[in-house]
Amino acid sequence: MYYLWITCFGIGFTFLMATLGAASVFCFKRQLSLRANTVLLGLSAGLMLAACIWSLLLPSAEYAEKNWQNFAFFPVVGGILLGCLFIFLMDKCFRDKGGGMETRRTRRLFLAVTLHNIPEGLAVGFAFGGAWATGEISAFLAALSLAIGIGVQNFPEGAALSLPLYSATKSRKRAFLYSFYSNLVEPIFAMLGVFLSAYLAEAQAWLLAFAAGAMLFVVCEELIPATLLDVNAEDKERSLGIWCIILGFCGMLLLEIFLV
């Protein structure tokens, strides 16, 4: 029973922190100004770039080295390209359904972050699944540490999704709900990972790289151009967007280094 409570707390903590991050959208009482929008988009782009590298690509490379050895590059590069291709094709499908630029941006951002949450949830589930297999308290504590680390970084990730969605939808409630539903997949796949840890571990390299490719495509196509082009042509405005991207990247990097 003690181990069950540890597992439930670890999985629930990741979802709670992401939801709290998404709820930060309610802190804004008015529609965002152009400069505030630039800051938020830039920070979101930097956060997602760092999460793409540290949360997805580096773990993907570690899994690939264990299972593919000399061909470890194959699932990593292949997964990235498949993720990019997936978002590209989904965008084509969404474009056929209509909607303006902001609507398409909302769809792509939601889809990319949702895909990012799936392998993170599986990683937590695999950790707890391995702990249940060994039955050792040290394994449960290690899994809990991983869950707490991912949960802490989920707070800025939740904000990184809901705040740009607020800019796109002009509705705090819709932005929060989009982010909430996107984050909901993480505990679901964490629970699946607990039960399927013995069967899906070898596919983790592909899943992580696939999610990284999807997120990388959205950041490069949507967030960075929006950060730099949705502002005035003045150099100081563009510099603001660039520095926000860098600060967002460094902020998530610090979380990854010290908390995961």
Side-chain angles (χ1 to χ4, degrees):
M1 183 62 68
Y2 179 69
Y3 290 162
L4 178 61
W5 281 111
I6 293 178
T7 303
C8 291
F9 175 80
I11 294 175
F13 182 78
T14 61
F15 177 64
L16 174 63
M17 293 300 291
T19 303
L20 290 176
S24 63
V25 73
F26 293 108
C27 296
F28 298 91
K29 301 299 182 182
R30 298 178 299 176
Q31 183 62 34
L32 297 177
S33 66
L34 186 61
R35 176 167 293 187
N37 188 56
T38 299
V39 171
L40 293 176
L41 287 175
L43 291 174
S44 297
L47 287 167
M48 290 187 181
L49 276 176
C52 177
I53 296 171
W54 288 83
S55 296
L56 299 173
L57 289 180
L58 291 182
S60 173
E62 292 179 4
Y63 279 106
E65 288 178 0
K66 294 178 182 178
N67 298 313
W68 291 75
Q69 297 179 358
N70 293 334
F71 297 94
F73 67 91
F74 186 72
V76 179
V77 176
I80 293 174
L81 295 177
L82 287 174
C84 292
L85 181 63
F86 177 77
I87 295 295
F88 176 79
L89 294 177
M90 291 298 292
D91 181 47
K92 293 293 185 182
C93 294
F94 288 147
R95 189 169 298 177
D96 293 338
K97 294 182 179 181
M101 180 63 70
E102 295 294 346
T103 301
R104 292 199 297 270
R105 180 184 299 175
T106 300
R107 289 167 176 167
R108 278 182 286 200
L109 192 58
F110 172 81
L111 187 60
V113 176
T114 301
L115 289 172
H116 161 267
N117 287 334
I118 290 175
E120 275 197 355
L122 287 174
V124 173
F126 289 162
F128 280 108
W132 278 100
T134 62
E136 298 179 358
I137 183 61
S138 59
F140 278 95
L141 292 178
L144 181 61
S145 176
L146 173 66
I148 291 175
I150 289 179
V152 170
Q153 74 173 30
N154 277 353
F155 183 87
E157 285 181 1
L161 175 60
S162 65
L163 295 177
L165 288 180
Y166 172 43
S167 174
T169 63
K170 308 300 187 291
S171 169
R172 286 184 289 270
K173 182 178 179 180
R174 288 181 62 191
F176 173 77
L177 289 177
Y178 273 124
S179 186
F180 177 85
Y181 292 136
S182 175
N183 296 326
L184 190 60
V185 305
E186 187 161 320
I188 292 174
F189 276 86
M191 289 184 286
L192 286 175
V194 172
F195 296 104
L196 300 177
S197 58
Y199 304 99
L200 293 180
E202 293 186 1
Q204 186 72 343
W206 285 95
L207 293 171
L208 289 165
F210 183 90
M215 181 172 288
L216 187 63
F217 188 91
V218 171
V219 170
C220 292
E221 186 186 27
E222 291 293 339
L223 292 182
I224 292 179
T227 301
L228 300 180
L229 297 180
D230 286 353
V231 299
N232 298 329
E234 299 179 10
D235 290 339
K236 63 179 182 180
E237 296 289 350
R238 291 179 60 84
S239 298
L240 174 65
I242 293 172
W243 277 109
C244 286
I245 294 173
I246 295 172
L247 290 175
F249 184 92
C250 292
M252 180 58 75
L253 179 62
L254 291 175
L255 285 177
E256 294 283 356
I257 292 174
F258 292 109
L259 296 173
V260 179

